[in-house]
Amino acid sequence: MNAALQHPKPAAERALSYYSASLNEETHYPTLQGEVNVDIAIIGGGFTGVATAVELAERGYKVAIVETNKVGWGASGRNGGQVTGSLSGDAAMSKQMRQWLGDDVDDFIWHLRWRGHDIIRNRVEKYGIQCDLKFGHLHAAMKPAHMDELKASHEEAQRRGMGDQVTLLDAAGVRANQGSDIYCGALRNTRNMHLHPLNLCIGEAKAAESLGALIFEHSEVLDIVHGERPAVVTAKGRINASQVLLAGDVYHKLERKQLKGMIFPAMGGIVTTAPLGELAQQINPHDLAVYDCRFVLDYYRLTGDGRLLFGGGANYSGRDSRDIAGELRPCIERTFPQLKGVQIDFQWSCAMGIVMNRIPQLGKLSQNVWYCQGYSGHGVATTHIMGEIMAEAMSGSLEKFDTFARCKHIKVPLGDLFGNPMLAAGMWYYQMMEKLR
Ligand SMILES: Cc1cc2nc3c(=O)[nH]c(=O)nc-3n(C[C@H](O)[C@H](O)[C@H](O)COP(=O)(O)OP(=O)(O)OC[C@H]3O[C@@H](n4cnc5c(N)ncnc54)[C@H](O)[C@@H]3O)c2cc1C
């Protein structure tokens, strides 16, 4: 591991990653003890919980976030940091929502796809959050068949007045943007962004705190008490509230009767190399985040201190890989032969919540207890979109929430047993289909 990182020591309870080793500042919040009264209690200190808390606190609500581990401990603090204009499940969403939105569905989804970018950009600016926010993505084609998808995205962007922010590149165009020969084309998008997700999550929690929100760490919620004034209960305390939001994504085991079999873990692995010095400029001169068009894809970008952060190959069996660097090194060296033998300083993995039809799951467990989860690997922007939608809903504007809550989801019977094997089989099928494309 590189000794040059001069950052505060991460708390021992944080999973070791490049992100936890390069925190701006470690924060410590108390364990919940005794009884607390607030307007809204939020379970989970990831982007869903924290972004919703900021929205609600800005609207004047007294909010409390309750987190089992530390703020940003889950996928929000360990992901690829790519802010994409995809909600995951766009196609399934469009098919279902067309039944109640008619042709307005196309505008609804298009505007929503970019809403998360605006929220993040404005929040970073408003609260002065240092999170290495940068603009620019390449969505890269690995074979000619992938170009159809990119051409369709390019045409849609032009039709929607976003033509100045997208450029379709051929193989030579990609090489001018990227020190790699493996792509036959790409869509360059200057609206998409990339960032240090843990610094963003902690920065947003601090923003919520500055607006009066209470934050409790090391406080696993063991039960939700439903009723006129619901409550969340931990081993040492209880929060009574007017409303509760369950935002634990794939990590919570609450409300099994209603939520069992709806969301499944896939393990994603990421590595970062040692700082690359001048090589960083050679392999990625415009500091773009890159992801390819395959169903199980590689994605990468440079960190603020010039390392290659490279992720890929999610494991849909739900089991963790023990040798992430061993799995990802061949992918790095195939993409950038000039990095052969490069030193890998950090490797980590994390579970992301996958939903069968890929549509984010928003709903109510009782009159005043809500849930929001399941972004299937596209959560950085989407959590912020859903945070806004949930805050609107909890303050009485239900229109967008209802649009999502009406979507039908596949609930796998005996989900704990069969969910991941089904997911793995589905992924295998899609990978086979892709090979035939
Ligand atoms: C390896 C990897 C790479 C990814 N890359 C990208 C990317 O580049 N771009 C992108 O858009 N998305 C990406 N994602 C997806 C994205 O990170 C997630 O969709 C998103 O962070 C989910 O946020 P969340 O707040 O809902 O859940 P999480 O961040 O997982 O937070 C849930 C929190 O709830 C807490 N919790 C659970 N149960 C309880 C309980 N009972 N009591 C109290 N607290 C509880 C957990 O401890 C956890 O901290 C990636 C995910 C992974 C794993």
Side-chain angles (χ1 to χ4, degrees):
M1 190 186 309
N2 194 285
L5 280 175
Q6 296 289 332
H7 291 277
K9 206 168 177 297
E13 318 86 288
R14 283 205 187 280
L16 183 64
S17 71
Y18 164 74
Y19 296 129
S20 61
S22 57
L23 281 179
N24 296 330
E25 171 190 7
E26 184 54 280
T27 47
H28 300 278
Y29 295 104
T31 301
L32 176 65
Q33 306 222 7
E35 202 150 331
V36 172
N37 287 288
V38 295
D39 297 324
I40 296 171
I42 296 177
I43 304 166
F47 282 139
T48 303
V50 169
T52 311
V54 176
E55 298 276 354
L56 289 165
E58 283 180 341
R59 288 166 167 78
Y61 290 95
K62 182 79 186 167
V63 182
I65 299 171
V66 198
E67 164 59 47
T68 301
N69 301 287
K70 296 212 46 90
V71 165
W73 175 89
S76 299
R78 288 190 260 170
N79 61 58
Q82 303 206 2
V83 186
T84 63
S86 163
L87 296 169
S88 100
D90 301 36
M93 211 182 281
S94 161
K95 195 170 168 199
Q96 288 208 35
M97 290 178 181
R98 195 170 294 280
Q99 294 167 43
W100 46 93
L101 291 182
D103 287 342
D104 289 347
V105 71
D106 299 323
D107 284 353
F108 177 77
I109 291 178
W110 174 259
H111 292 303
L112 220 54
R113 280 171 63 181
W114 304 105
R115 182 65 196 140
H117 295 57
D118 294 344
I119 294 170
I120 293 171
R121 216 186 43 239
N122 292 340
R123 193 161 295 157
V124 163
E125 207 175 292
K126 182 171 175 185
Y127 295 101
I129 301 172
Q130 304 294 323
C131 60
D132 301 332
L133 179 65
K134 289 172 192 157
F135 289 83
H137 276 202
L138 275 191
H139 192 186
M142 300 198 68
K143 53 183 175 182
H146 289 159
M147 288 305 288
D148 296 343
E149 177 190 344
L150 300 183
K151 280 180 192 154
S153 300
H154 183 242
E155 275 164 25
E156 184 173 24
Q158 286 188 314
R159 220 174 39 245
R160 297 271 184 183
M162 216 182 96
D164 58 334
Q165 292 171 307
V166 288
T167 316
L168 203 55
L169 303 170
D170 61 12
V174 182
R175 274 195 296 278
N177 280 275
Q178 209 55 206
S180 175
D181 284 336
I182 65 168
Y183 304 116
C184 59
L187 186 66
R188 183 172 169 166
N189 178 318
T190 56
R191 191 168 184 178
N192 281 332
M193 310 185 291
H194 57 101
L195 47 75
H196 187 305
L198 185 56
N199 277 334
L200 175 62
C201 196
I202 289 176
E204 290 188 278
K206 285 180 68 188
E209 188 190 14
S210 74
L211 297 168
L214 303 173
I215 301 175
F216 300 99
E217 294 183 326
H218 309 300
S219 305
E220 181 181 7
V221 172
L222 303 172
D223 192 21
I224 301 173
V225 180
H226 295 263
E228 203 170 305
R229 193 155 166 77
V232 301
V233 180
T234 67
K236 294 184 182 159
R238 173 187 176 109
I239 302 184
N240 306 307
S242 305
Q243 304 185 68
V244 170
L245 171 65
L246 174 52
D249 203 54
V250 77
Y251 288 99
H252 76 83
K253 293 279 173 265
L254 295 161
E255 302 291 323
R256 304 307 287 157
K257 201 165 165 207
Q258 293 194 62
L259 298 181
K260 193 173 171 183
M262 290 189 59
I263 182 170
F264 304 96
M267 300 305 297
I270 299 183
V271 299
T272 51
T273 66
L276 295 176
E278 284 180 8
L279 259 180
Q281 173 72 14
Q282 280 176 35
I283 65 166
N284 194 346
H286 304 293
D287 212 349
L288 303 171
V290 182
Y291 60 106
D292 68 58
C293 293
R294 289 171 303 168
F295 206 72
V296 178
L297 68 165
D298 289 344
Y299 51 93
Y300 55 88
R301 63 189 184 87
L302 295 174
T303 60
D305 59 355
R307 301 160 186 274
L308 178 68
L309 183 148
F310 195 104
N315 181 344
Y316 289 84
S317 70
R319 285 190 297 274
D320 217 346
S321 157
R322 262 162 277 178
D323 184 12
I324 297 147
E327 282 174 17
L328 291 181
R329 180 181 287 285
C331 308
I332 294 176
E333 294 181 353
R334 184 189 55 198
T335 312
F336 298 114
Q338 57 275 52
L339 294 187
K340 194 163 176 49
V342 70
Q343 181 180 316
I344 290 179
D345 277 353
F346 297 94
Q347 58 172 310
W348 67 94
S349 69
C350 185
M352 61 188 98
I354 306 282
V355 171
M356 288 289 173
N357 64 8
R358 299 290 198 268
I359 303 175
Q361 297 173 339
L362 278 61
K364 273 183 150 189
L365 295 159
S366 58
Q367 202 199 338
N368 41 22
V369 178
W370 313 67
Y371 68 93
C372 179
Q373 62 184 24
Y375 317 103
S376 305
H378 293 253
V380 179
T382 315
T383 45
H384 289 79
I385 300 163
M386 297 307 150
E388 184 177 68
I389 293 178
M390 292 312 301
E392 280 171 7
M394 295 173 99
S395 32
S397 301
L398 287 158
E399 199 185 331
K400 291 193 194 117
F401 170 85
D402 282 342
T403 301
F404 274 93
R406 287 176 73 176
C407 288
K408 289 203 169 55
H409 286 277
I410 300 161
K411 197 167 176 184
V412 181
L414 298 176
D416 291 348
L417 220 56
F418 298 128
N420 275 104
M422 273 180 69
L423 209 64
M427 293 309 293
W428 179 84
Y429 170 78
Y430 281 115
Q431 280 177 283
M432 284 302 115
M433 294 303 285
E434 193 171 270
K435 283 207 168 86
L436 298 175
R437 270 216 281 173

